[in-house]
Amino acid sequence: SLDQAERAYREAARINPKYLPAHLKLIQLYQKRKKFEEAKLQAQVLKKELPKMAVLPQVQAALKGGKGP
């Protein structure tokens, strides 16, 4: 389920804050569920932990509160 996926990705990001796939999947999941504020917050966490990855289109869209690329 999406709830289980969200929990798993959050746990992966908690265990390893520099694990890019977990952050990106959370952003995508939140966008899919129309939780745009959560997607934006997750993008901000990613930007803090992995600043060079903040240029990715899905991260930029989330930071702007959008649905993604």
Side-chain angles (χ1 to χ4, degrees):
S1 80
L2 291 178
D3 289 335
Q4 290 173 321
E6 182 180 337
R7 282 192 296 274
Y9 292 134
R10 273 193 281 139
E11 181 68 5
R14 185 191 67 75
I15 290 170
N16 183 357
K18 304 230 182 269
Y19 184 55
L20 178 63
H23 293 290
L24 293 178
K25 289 295 188 180
L26 276 169
I27 290 169
Q28 291 171 345
L29 183 72
Y30 290 142
Q31 289 170 333
K32 182 176 184 171
R33 297 177 95 179
K34 300 189 184 322
K35 294 181 172 184
F36 300 117
E37 189 59 35
E38 286 92 337
K40 183 177 181 178
L41 292 171
Q42 189 62 43
Q44 290 169 342
V45 170
L46 185 150
K47 185 177 177 181
K48 177 184 169 219
E49 295 294 339
L50 299 160
K52 292 181 181 178
M53 296 296 114
V55 298
L56 294 171
Q58 60 266 48
V59 178
Q60 287 296 305
L63 287 170
K64 294 176 184 171
K67 298 177 189 175

